[in-house]
Amino acid sequence: MMTSDSRRKKIVAECRKQRFRKTFDQLKEEYDGGVTYDGANLPASKRPPRKFCSACGHSAHYNCIRCGTGYCSMECRDRHNATRCMKHTA
């Protein structure tokens, strides 16, 4: 059972959420033209790019001999060879 004090805190919190909520148009007006995600210029990473399994998406520790695509296990290798290997193209 809620006490009157905790119930009041909950009601006040809900009122503040509604009172200070901004619409998308208001947020667009406040935007000052700073750096966007696409416009950010960052230096190249010092780490090598990560490789993912083409069959399941986990970390790839092995590469296909024919096409160079990564896979993580023998099961994923077999699935890759049967359906995804680019050996017939290129």
Side-chain angles (χ1 to χ4, degrees), residues 46-62:
K46 295 178 182 177
R47 297 182 178 186
R50 295 189 293 173
K51 298 176 184 175
F52 296 101
C53 177
S54 65
C56 67
H58 288 95
S59 292
H61 299 289
Y62 312 104

Side-chain angles (χ1 to χ4, degrees), residues 37-51:
Y37 178 79
D38 294 331
N41 293 324
L42 298 174
S45 176
K46 295 178 182 177
R47 297 182 178 186
R50 295 189 293 173
K51 298 176 184 175

Side-chain angles (χ1 to χ4, degrees), residues 13-59:
E14 289 296 321
C15 289
R16 284 189 178 158
K17 284 182 188 177
Q18 295 296 325
R19 185 174 166 201
F20 297 111
R21 181 179 292 177
K22 296 181 182 178
T23 64
F24 183 70
D25 291 328
Q26 290 172 334
L27 291 171
K28 279 191 338 186
E29 288 177 10
E30 289 180 5
Y31 178 68
D32 61 352
V35 177
T36 61
Y37 178 79
D38 294 331
N41 293 324
L42 298 174
S45 176
K46 295 178 182 177
R47 297 182 178 186
R50 295 189 293 173
K51 298 176 184 175
F52 296 101
C53 177
S54 65
C56 67
H58 288 95
S59 292

Side-chain angles (χ1 to χ4, degrees), residues 3-19:
T3 63
S4 63
D5 206 25
S6 63
R7 190 176 310 139
R8 179 184 165 152
K9 287 180 183 179
K10 186 175 181 180
I11 292 170
V12 169
E14 289 296 321
C15 289
R16 284 189 178 158
K17 284 182 188 177
Q18 295 296 325
R19 185 174 166 201

